[in-house]
mmCIF file of all heavy atoms in Angstrom:
data_model
loop_
_atom_site.group_PDB
_atom_site.id
_atom_site.type_symbol
_atom_site.label_atom_id
_atom_site.label_comp_id
_atom_site.label_asym_id
_atom_site.label_seq_id
_atom_site.Cartn_x
_atom_site.Cartn_y
_atom_site.Cartn_z
ATOM 1 N N ALA A 33 2.370 1.819 -3.459
ATOM 2 C CA ALA A 33 1.398 2.364 -4.435
ATOM 3 C C ALA A 33 1.161 3.855 -4.164
ATOM 4 O O ALA A 33 1.043 4.648 -5.123
ATOM 5 C CB ALA A 33 0.057 1.596 -4.286
ATOM 6 N N VAL A 37 2.046 6.775 -6.947
ATOM 7 C CA VAL A 37 1.021 7.785 -7.441
ATOM 8 C C VAL A 37 1.584 9.204 -7.193
ATOM 9 O O VAL A 37 1.467 10.123 -8.018
ATOM 10 C CB VAL A 37 -0.298 7.598 -6.748
ATOM 11 C CG1 VAL A 37 -1.257 8.692 -7.069
ATOM 12 C CG2 VAL A 37 -0.926 6.223 -7.195
ATOM 13 N N HIS A 39 4.678 10.174 -7.002
ATOM 14 C CA HIS A 39 5.782 10.465 -7.935
ATOM 15 C C HIS A 39 5.263 10.738 -9.321
ATOM 16 O O HIS A 39 5.676 11.690 -10.019
ATOM 17 C CB HIS A 39 6.756 9.330 -7.973
ATOM 18 C CG HIS A 39 7.859 9.474 -8.978
ATOM 19 N ND1 HIS A 39 8.842 10.440 -8.899
ATOM 20 C CD2 HIS A 39 8.041 8.813 -10.179
ATOM 21 C CE1 HIS A 39 9.613 10.354 -9.960
ATOM 22 N NE2 HIS A 39 9.193 9.423 -10.738
ATOM 23 N N ASN A 60 12.682 16.473 -31.867
ATOM 24 C CA ASN A 60 13.856 15.655 -32.163
ATOM 25 C C ASN A 60 13.385 14.219 -32.225
ATOM 26 O O ASN A 60 13.046 13.547 -31.215
ATOM 27 C CB ASN A 60 14.957 15.761 -31.054
ATOM 28 C CG ASN A 60 16.064 14.803 -31.293
ATOM 29 O OD1 ASN A 60 16.376 14.432 -32.429
ATOM 30 N ND2 ASN A 60 16.663 14.388 -30.226
ATOM 31 N N GLY A 66 20.077 14.698 -30.046
ATOM 32 C CA GLY A 66 19.938 15.689 -28.963
ATOM 33 C C GLY A 66 21.058 15.558 -27.948
ATOM 34 O O GLY A 66 21.501 16.594 -27.393
ATOM 35 N N LEU A 96 7.962 0.829 -8.714
ATOM 36 C CA LEU A 96 7.121 -0.192 -9.365
ATOM 37 C C LEU A 96 7.303 -1.570 -8.726
ATOM 38 O O LEU A 96 6.287 -2.208 -8.400
ATOM 39 C CB LEU A 96 7.472 -0.232 -10.901
ATOM 40 C CG LEU A 96 6.982 0.969 -11.696
ATOM 41 C CD1 LEU A 96 7.533 0.850 -13.137
ATOM 42 C CD2 LEU A 96 5.445 0.976 -11.726
ATOM 43 N N VAL A 105 10.709 -13.457 -7.167
ATOM 44 C CA VAL A 105 10.413 -13.227 -8.524
ATOM 45 C C VAL A 105 11.730 -13.210 -9.302
ATOM 46 O O VAL A 105 12.794 -12.927 -8.755
ATOM 47 C CB VAL A 105 9.676 -11.880 -8.696
ATOM 48 C CG1 VAL A 105 10.530 -10.705 -8.267
ATOM 49 C CG2 VAL A 105 9.160 -11.663 -10.124
ATOM 50 N N THR A 114 9.833 -3.665 -15.371
ATOM 51 C CA THR A 114 10.018 -2.317 -14.896
ATOM 52 C C THR A 114 10.521 -1.397 -15.965
ATOM 53 O O THR A 114 10.009 -0.282 -16.137
ATOM 54 C CB THR A 114 11.033 -2.329 -13.724
ATOM 55 O OG1 THR A 114 10.599 -3.225 -12.728
ATOM 56 C CG2 THR A 114 11.184 -0.959 -13.135
ATOM 57 N N GLY A 131 0.550 18.339 -27.300
ATOM 58 C CA GLY A 131 -0.520 19.305 -27.195
ATOM 59 C C GLY A 131 -0.388 20.356 -26.149
ATOM 60 O O GLY A 131 -1.295 21.105 -25.861
ATOM 61 N N VAL A 156 19.192 -0.822 -6.737
ATOM 62 C CA VAL A 156 18.513 -0.920 -5.468
ATOM 63 C C VAL A 156 17.751 -2.242 -5.291
ATOM 64 O O VAL A 156 17.851 -2.904 -4.242
ATOM 65 C CB VAL A 156 17.570 0.286 -5.287
ATOM 66 C CG1 VAL A 156 16.773 0.103 -3.957
ATOM 67 C CG2 VAL A 156 18.310 1.562 -5.308
ATOM 68 N N ARG A 165 14.677 -10.917 2.040
ATOM 69 C CA ARG A 165 14.573 -12.380 2.162
ATOM 70 C C ARG A 165 15.365 -12.948 3.336
ATOM 71 O O ARG A 165 14.913 -13.807 4.107
ATOM 72 C CB ARG A 165 14.952 -13.053 0.862
ATOM 73 C CG ARG A 165 13.891 -12.961 -0.221
ATOM 74 C CD ARG A 165 14.229 -13.882 -1.368
ATOM 75 N NE ARG A 165 15.431 -13.498 -2.061
ATOM 76 C CZ ARG A 165 15.392 -12.769 -3.196
ATOM 77 N NH1 ARG A 165 14.250 -12.368 -3.707
ATOM 78 N NH2 ARG A 165 16.519 -12.447 -3.825
ATOM 79 N N GLY A 182 0.186 -13.509 16.189
ATOM 80 C CA GLY A 182 -0.160 -12.552 15.162
ATOM 81 C C GLY A 182 0.166 -12.959 13.767
ATOM 82 O O GLY A 182 -0.139 -12.263 12.817
ATOM 83 N N SER A 195 -1.025 -34.713 18.774
ATOM 84 C CA SER A 195 -0.310 -35.668 17.961
ATOM 85 C C SER A 195 -1.162 -36.910 17.732
ATOM 86 O O SER A 195 -1.865 -37.390 18.665
ATOM 87 C CB SER A 195 0.997 -36.129 18.682
ATOM 88 O OG SER A 195 1.846 -34.980 18.747
ATOM 89 N N ALA A 207 -8.104 -41.259 13.282
ATOM 90 C CA ALA A 207 -7.408 -40.152 12.591
ATOM 91 C C ALA A 207 -8.432 -39.388 11.683
ATOM 92 O O ALA A 207 -8.290 -38.192 11.513
ATOM 93 C CB ALA A 207 -6.297 -40.764 11.695
ATOM 94 N N ARG A 211 -9.024 -35.427 11.772
ATOM 95 C CA ARG A 211 -8.866 -34.571 10.563
ATOM 96 C C ARG A 211 -10.180 -33.762 10.324
ATOM 97 O O ARG A 211 -10.139 -32.622 9.954
ATOM 98 C CB ARG A 211 -8.557 -35.393 9.341
ATOM 99 C CG ARG A 211 -7.133 -36.051 9.385
ATOM 100 C CD ARG A 211 -6.835 -36.689 8.030
ATOM 101 N NE ARG A 211 -5.528 -37.286 8.041
ATOM 102 C CZ ARG A 211 -5.298 -38.598 8.356
ATOM 103 N NH1 ARG A 211 -6.325 -39.385 8.606
ATOM 104 N NH2 ARG A 211 -4.108 -39.119 8.325
ATOM 105 N N ALA A 217 -11.968 -26.500 12.461
ATOM 106 C CA ALA A 217 -11.265 -25.484 13.172
ATOM 107 C C ALA A 217 -10.424 -24.609 12.270
ATOM 108 O O ALA A 217 -9.942 -23.549 12.655
ATOM 109 C CB ALA A 217 -10.341 -26.132 14.248
ATOM 110 N N SER A 230 0.728 -34.035 12.935
ATOM 111 C CA SER A 230 0.487 -32.896 13.827
ATOM 112 C C SER A 230 -0.747 -32.148 13.438
ATOM 113 O O SER A 230 -0.866 -31.751 12.283
ATOM 114 C CB SER A 230 1.701 -31.928 13.765
ATOM 115 O OG SER A 230 2.835 -32.599 14.336
ATOM 116 N N GLY A 233 -4.388 -26.294 15.918
ATOM 117 C CA GLY A 233 -5.662 -25.711 16.273
ATOM 118 C C GLY A 233 -6.393 -26.597 17.283
ATOM 119 O O GLY A 233 -6.042 -27.718 17.493
ATOM 120 N N GLU A 234 -7.362 -25.992 17.884
ATOM 121 C CA GLU A 234 -8.169 -26.700 18.854
ATOM 122 C C GLU A 234 -9.314 -27.368 18.198
ATOM 123 O O GLU A 234 -9.846 -26.879 17.183
ATOM 124 C CB GLU A 234 -8.665 -25.695 19.914
ATOM 125 C CG GLU A 234 -7.551 -24.994 20.682
ATOM 126 C CD GLU A 234 -8.114 -24.020 21.674
ATOM 127 O OE1 GLU A 234 -9.352 -23.822 21.668
ATOM 128 O OE2 GLU A 234 -7.297 -23.448 22.421
ATOM 129 N N ARG A 239 -14.591 -34.314 23.153
ATOM 130 C CA ARG A 239 -14.861 -35.692 22.859
ATOM 131 C C ARG A 239 -16.177 -36.129 23.491
ATOM 132 O O ARG A 239 -16.452 -35.837 24.615
ATOM 133 C CB ARG A 239 -13.708 -36.561 23.381
ATOM 134 C CG ARG A 239 -13.792 -38.007 23.019
ATOM 135 C CD ARG A 239 -12.588 -38.746 23.554
ATOM 136 N NE ARG A 239 -12.938 -40.177 23.618
ATOM 137 C CZ ARG A 239 -12.458 -40.955 24.552
ATOM 138 N NH1 ARG A 239 -11.676 -40.500 25.497
ATOM 139 N NH2 ARG A 239 -12.762 -42.249 24.537
ATOM 140 N N ILE A 243 -20.582 -44.717 26.970
ATOM 141 C CA ILE A 243 -20.902 -45.604 28.095
ATOM 142 C C ILE A 243 -20.446 -47.013 27.716
ATOM 143 O O ILE A 243 -20.822 -47.532 26.665
ATOM 144 C CB ILE A 243 -22.437 -45.604 28.406
ATOM 145 C CG1 ILE A 243 -22.862 -44.193 28.696
ATOM 146 C CG2 ILE A 243 -22.768 -46.601 29.502
ATOM 147 C CD1 ILE A 243 -24.365 -44.076 28.879
ATOM 148 N N VAL A 246 -21.989 -53.362 28.826
ATOM 149 C CA VAL A 246 -21.896 -54.407 29.842
ATOM 150 C C VAL A 246 -22.670 -55.620 29.353
ATOM 151 O O VAL A 246 -23.844 -55.522 29.019
ATOM 152 C CB VAL A 246 -22.449 -53.935 31.234
ATOM 153 C CG1 VAL A 246 -22.372 -55.001 32.242
ATOM 154 C CG2 VAL A 246 -21.698 -52.684 31.660
ATOM 155 N N SER A 258 -34.296 -74.325 39.996
ATOM 156 C CA SER A 258 -35.398 -74.535 40.973
ATOM 157 C C SER A 258 -35.209 -75.868 41.624
ATOM 158 O O SER A 258 -34.719 -76.834 41.014
ATOM 159 C CB SER A 258 -36.731 -74.508 40.250
ATOM 160 O OG SER A 258 -36.750 -75.443 39.189
#
Side-chain angles (χ1 to χ4, degrees):
V37 172
H39 175 68
N60 173 32
L96 288 172
V105 64
T114 305
V156 177
R165 282 195 292 266
S195 296
R211 290 189 183 95
S230 295
E234 299 178 355
R239 186 179 159 212
I243 301 175
V246 179
S258 57

